[in-house]
Structures are given as C-alpha cells and as structure tokens.
C-alpha cells in the first residue's frame, strides 16, 4: 500500500492509447454511493470479471464514495469525481473530492480509526479498500480535498 500526501489532489493519470475510460460527477449524497457502485460494475463488465472481482470493486468504490460524503464534505453539498480506466487487464478507479482533506493521513489509514464522533462509523473504509484492491494510494491536503486511487487486476 502506498500512502502519499501530495500538494495536488487533481493529478491526472497519464493517458495510454489503449485505455478505455469513463468520468462521472455525482453530488455528495449518500444515495449516490449505490449509483457509483453500479456504474463501475457495468463499466468493468467488459473485462469479463468474476462475481468476486465485481463485489470486491463495488465494495471499494462504496467505501471511497462514502468517505467523501461523510468525511470529505461532512454531509454538506459538494461534488465527487469518479474516474475509471481499463488498460489491458488492469482496472484503475480514482475517487476525488474537494472537501476538508485529511490532517493525519497515516492515522486515518489505520484500521478502526474514524474522525466521525457519532459512533456510527467503524473506521474500516481504507482497510476494506486495501483488502479488496491490489493497490491503494491516497493523496490529501487540508482544505483542498482527497484523491483515492485504486487498482485491481481482473482475471489474472
């Protein structure tokens, strides 16, 4: 797992000529989490994934979008940007918000840590993303937002 704090959370993936990609902008509403899951599942279906691979990716996307809604925008209006790309057998998903950012990224990545004081959150979002995807990279800057970049090899 790579945990990196960078100044620019909008860093774009280098485009490769054989890359199939989509971009999606959704409001920071909890109900949009399910929509994001389904869109990514349909997009990755062209890779002929197993049901387990689909479930893994859907779970990781759910956690990333939920983190943006709950922690990034703190239930206030905002936009969540989702990009997905297929290059060969590798699926890359990038979830970006322009919310509050993460003060202590290393601490936030620890299992069971949550900044939500309501007691409703388990603090396992990044742990689930790491467990279900092959690679996880998080970039964040206070007041500018967070970008979560995940990769998974499908069928390999």
């Amino acid at each position: 797992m790579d945990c990196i704090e960078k100044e620019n959370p909008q860093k774009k993936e280098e485009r490769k000529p054989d890359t199939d990609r989509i971009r999606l902008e959704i409001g920071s509403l909890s109900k949009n989490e399910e929509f994001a899951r389904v869109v990514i599942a349909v997009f990755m279906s062209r890779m002929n994934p197993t049901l387990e691979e689909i479930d893994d990716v859907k779970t990781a996307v759910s956690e990333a979008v939920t983190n943006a809604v709950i922690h990034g925008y703190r239930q206030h209006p905002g936009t969540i940007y989702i990009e997905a790309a297929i290059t060969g057998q590798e699926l890359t998903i990038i979830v970006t918000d322009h919310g509050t950012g993460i003060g202590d990224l290393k601490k936030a990545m620890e299992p069971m840590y949550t900044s939500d004081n309501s007691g409703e959150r388990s603090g396992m979002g990044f742990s689930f993303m790491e467990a279900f995807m092959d690679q996880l990279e998080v970039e964040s800057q206070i007041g500018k937002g967070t970008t979560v970049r995940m990769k998974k090899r499908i069928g390999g």
Side-chain angles (χ1 to χ4, degrees):
M1 174 179 76
D2 294 319
C3 304
I4 303 169
E5 284 191 62
K6 298 234 177 166
E7 287 187 2
N8 185 359
Q10 292 210 53
K11 180 177 135 186
K12 300 290 182 196
E13 287 279 300
E14 183 179 316
R15 289 183 182 243
K16 298 177 183 173
D18 62 341
T19 300
D20 189 8
R21 71 178 57 243
I22 61 168
R23 288 193 176 129
L24 177 66
E25 293 181 15
I26 59 174
S28 60
L29 304 169
S30 292
K31 66 184 178 182
N32 284 336
E33 171 268 331
E34 178 63 25
F35 178 71
R37 287 169 49 103
V38 171
V39 168
I40 297 301
V42 171
F43 177 69
M44 72 180 287
S45 68
R46 62 191 75 192
M47 299 177 78
N48 197 25
T50 65
L51 289 176
E52 182 178 1
E53 289 168 332
I54 293 170
D55 286 343
D56 288 354
V57 170
K58 285 171 63 176
T59 299
V61 168
S62 291
E63 294 296 336
V65 170
T66 298
N67 277 357
V69 171
I70 301 297
H71 303 290
Y73 290 113
R74 299 189 178 162
Q75 303 283 3
H76 292 95
T79 302
I80 300 169
Y81 304 88
I82 302 168
E83 294 181 53
I86 298 169
T87 305
Q89 289 304 116
E90 185 175 72
L91 174 67
T92 301
I93 300 167
I94 303 168
V95 179
T96 302
D97 69 66
H98 298 292
T100 61
I102 301 170
D104 186 344
L105 188 55
K106 187 174 181 179
K107 182 120 180 113
M109 301 287 288
E110 292 176 4
M112 305 305 288
Y113 174 81
T114 182
S115 63
D116 178 44
N117 296 324
S118 71
E120 296 179 23
R121 305 285 163 209
S122 68
M124 295 297 291
F126 287 129
S127 296
F128 285 149
M129 287 179 241
E130 182 179 22
F132 292 120
M133 301 297 281
D134 296 329
Q135 184 179 349
L136 172 66
E137 182 180 307
V138 181
E139 302 173 5
S140 191
Q141 186 177 7
I142 293 292
K144 303 241 178 184
T146 302
T147 296
V148 174
R149 185 174 286 105
M150 304 176 283
K151 294 185 179 191
K152 186 165 186 78
R153 183 160 182 77
I154 303 298

